[in-house]
Protein backbone atom coordinates (compact mmCIF):
# COMPACT_ATOMS: atom_id res chain seq x y z
CA UNK A 1 0.00 0.00 0.00
CA UNK A 2 1.45 3.33 -1.04
CA UNK A 3 0.32 6.15 1.28
CA UNK A 4 1.22 8.89 -1.18
CA UNK A 5 -0.90 7.94 -4.19
CA UNK A 6 -4.03 9.97 -4.90
CA UNK A 7 -6.80 9.37 -7.48
CA UNK A 8 -8.45 12.54 -8.80
CA UNK A 9 -11.56 12.59 -10.98
CA UNK A 10 -12.83 16.19 -11.05
CA UNK A 11 -11.43 19.69 -10.59
CA UNK A 12 -7.98 18.36 -9.67
CA UNK A 13 -7.42 16.70 -13.06
CA UNK A 14 -4.79 18.25 -15.35
CA UNK A 15 -7.21 19.32 -18.08
CA UNK A 16 -9.79 20.90 -15.75
CA UNK A 17 -9.84 24.69 -16.25
CA UNK A 18 -10.39 25.62 -12.56
CA UNK A 19 -6.66 25.95 -11.84
CA UNK A 20 -6.91 23.56 -8.88
CA UNK A 21 -4.49 21.08 -10.44
CA UNK A 22 -1.81 23.74 -10.89
CA UNK A 23 -2.33 25.01 -7.34
CA UNK A 24 -2.47 21.69 -5.47
CA UNK A 25 -0.76 19.06 -7.66
CA UNK A 26 1.88 20.99 -9.65
CA UNK A 27 4.74 19.18 -7.89
CA UNK A 28 3.01 15.78 -7.72
CA UNK A 29 4.16 13.09 -10.12
CA UNK A 30 1.67 11.78 -12.66
CA UNK A 31 1.51 7.98 -12.40
CA UNK A 32 -1.29 6.87 -14.74
CA UNK A 33 -4.77 7.36 -16.08
CA UNK A 34 -7.05 5.10 -14.08
CA UNK A 35 -10.65 4.23 -13.27
CA UNK A 36 -12.66 3.17 -10.26
CA UNK A 37 -16.02 1.45 -9.81
CA UNK A 38 -18.69 3.94 -8.84
CA UNK A 39 -21.04 6.61 -10.07
CA UNK A 40 -20.28 10.24 -10.76
CA UNK A 41 -22.72 13.08 -10.12
CA UNK A 42 -22.59 16.82 -10.82
CA UNK A 43 -22.91 18.90 -7.65
CA UNK A 44 -22.10 22.31 -9.13
CA UNK A 45 -18.84 23.20 -10.89
CA UNK A 46 -17.46 20.05 -9.28
CA UNK A 47 -18.43 16.36 -9.20
CA UNK A 48 -19.32 13.83 -6.52
CA UNK A 49 -18.01 10.26 -6.65
CA UNK A 50 -20.04 7.55 -4.95
CA UNK A 51 -17.94 4.39 -4.72
CA UNK A 52 -19.69 1.10 -5.41
CA UNK A 53 -18.49 -2.40 -4.71
CA UNK A 54 -21.22 -4.20 -6.66
CA UNK A 55 -19.67 -4.63 -10.09
CA UNK A 56 -23.02 -5.28 -11.75
CA UNK A 57 -24.62 -1.93 -10.90
CA UNK A 58 -21.48 0.21 -10.84
CA UNK A 59 -20.03 2.18 -13.69
CA UNK A 60 -16.43 3.18 -14.29
CA UNK A 61 -15.34 6.65 -13.20
CA UNK A 62 -12.30 8.00 -15.03
CA UNK A 63 -9.46 9.91 -13.43
CA UNK A 64 -5.73 10.20 -12.84
CA UNK A 65 -3.33 8.88 -10.20
CA UNK A 66 -0.58 11.07 -8.75
CA UNK A 67 2.30 10.47 -6.36
CA UNK A 68 2.15 13.23 -3.79
CA UNK A 69 5.31 15.17 -2.98
CA UNK A 70 4.78 15.38 0.80
CA UNK A 71 2.37 14.79 3.70
CA UNK A 72 1.78 18.56 3.72
CA UNK A 73 0.43 18.30 0.18
CA UNK A 74 -2.18 15.78 1.36
CA UNK A 75 -3.19 18.11 4.20
CA UNK A 76 -3.59 20.98 1.71
CA UNK A 77 -5.78 18.74 -0.45
CA UNK A 78 -7.91 17.87 2.60
CA UNK A 79 -8.40 21.60 3.15
CA UNK A 80 -9.32 22.10 -0.53
CA UNK A 81 -11.86 19.25 -0.31
CA UNK A 82 -13.04 20.66 3.05
CA UNK A 83 -12.68 17.35 4.84
CA UNK A 84 -10.91 16.20 7.95
CA UNK A 85 -9.34 12.78 8.23
CA UNK A 86 -11.35 10.97 9.34
CA UNK A 87 -14.21 13.06 7.96
CA UNK A 88 -17.06 14.36 10.04
CA UNK A 89 -20.56 13.29 8.87
CA UNK A 90 -21.54 16.84 7.88
CA UNK A 91 -18.59 17.18 5.48
CA UNK A 92 -19.26 16.54 1.78
CA UNK A 93 -16.26 14.30 1.24
CA UNK A 94 -14.34 11.64 3.09
CA UNK A 95 -10.80 10.62 2.21
CA UNK A 96 -10.46 6.87 2.11
CA UNK A 97 -8.25 4.11 0.74
CA UNK A 98 -9.59 2.38 -2.34
CA UNK A 99 -8.43 0.32 -5.28
CA UNK A 100 -8.27 1.77 -8.78
CA UNK A 101 -7.25 0.14 -12.04
CA UNK A 102 -4.79 1.89 -14.33
CA UNK A 103 -5.11 2.03 -18.10
CA UNK A 104 -2.57 -0.83 -18.28
CA UNK A 105 -4.60 -3.01 -15.88
CA UNK A 106 -2.45 -2.50 -12.79
CA UNK A 107 -4.35 -2.34 -9.50
CA UNK A 108 -3.28 0.42 -7.10
CA UNK A 109 -4.35 1.29 -3.57
CA UNK A 110 -4.83 5.05 -3.47
CA UNK A 111 -6.40 7.85 -1.50
CA UNK A 112 -9.68 9.00 -2.97
CA UNK A 113 -12.20 11.67 -1.97
CA UNK A 114 -15.61 10.01 -1.89
CA UNK A 115 -18.88 11.92 -1.57
CA UNK A 116 -20.80 11.21 1.61
CA UNK A 117 -23.92 13.38 1.28
CA UNK A 118 -27.23 12.26 -0.26
CA UNK A 119 -27.19 12.26 -4.07
CA UNK A 120 -30.92 12.96 -4.37
CA UNK A 121 -31.55 15.40 -7.25
CA UNK A 122 -27.91 15.39 -8.37
CA UNK A 123 -27.61 14.67 -12.10
CA UNK A 124 -25.69 11.51 -12.99
CA UNK A 125 -22.68 11.97 -15.28
CA UNK A 126 -23.38 8.89 -17.37
CA UNK A 127 -19.98 8.86 -19.12
CA UNK A 128 -18.17 8.57 -15.78
CA UNK A 129 -15.84 11.31 -17.01
CA UNK A 130 -16.27 14.76 -15.46
CA UNK A 131 -14.30 16.43 -18.25
CA UNK A 132 -16.26 14.69 -21.03
CA UNK A 133 -19.80 14.24 -19.71
Amino acid sequence: MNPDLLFVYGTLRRACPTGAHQKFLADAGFIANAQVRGKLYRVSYYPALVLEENAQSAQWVKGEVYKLASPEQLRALDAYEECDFPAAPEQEYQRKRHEVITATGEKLQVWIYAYQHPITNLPLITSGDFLNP
Side-chain angles (χ1 to χ4, degrees):
M1 182 184 322
N2 190 327
D4 352 328
L5 294 182
L6 175 72
F7 177 81
V8 297
Y9 54 88
T11 60
L12 289 165
R13 287 173 65 188
R14 288 178 293 188
C16 189
T18 63
H21 177 85
Q22 290 75 12
K23 182 173 181 178
F24 294 98
L25 292 174
D27 58 347
F30 175 77
I31 300 296
N33 289 314
Q35 57 187 4
V36 65
R37 287 267 186 206
K39 290 187 178 171
L40 199 60
Y41 297 87
R42 178 172 293 282
V43 178
S44 173
Y45 67 90
Y46 61 94
L49 168 63
V50 177
L51 295 169
E52 292 192 13
E53 303 300 328
N54 183 346
Q56 293 187 353
S57 68
Q59 299 171 316
W60 287 107
V61 173
K62 295 170 180 55
E64 302 160 355
V65 176
Y66 290 89
K67 181 170 178 49
L68 300 177
S70 67
E72 294 76 28
Q73 190 172 31
L74 189 57
R75 286 193 284 281
L77 287 158
D78 284 349
Y80 173 70
E81 298 289 356
E82 298 179 357
C83 82
D84 297 320
F85 183 75
E90 66 273 8
Q91 294 173 322
E92 268 189 309
Y93 293 92
Q94 60 178 317
R95 176 167 49 92
K96 59 193 303 186
R97 303 293 299 173
H98 202 76
E99 183 179 273
V100 299
I101 300 173
T102 68
T104 60
E106 183 181 2
K107 294 179 180 181
L108 299 174
Q109 286 293 318
V110 298
W111 287 117
I112 195 163
Y113 290 98
Y115 197 70
Q116 63 174 10
H117 279 186
I119 54 170
T120 311
N121 299 324
L122 293 181
L124 177 67
I125 299 172
T126 55
S127 68
D129 186 346
F130 178 67
L131 300 181
N132 296 293

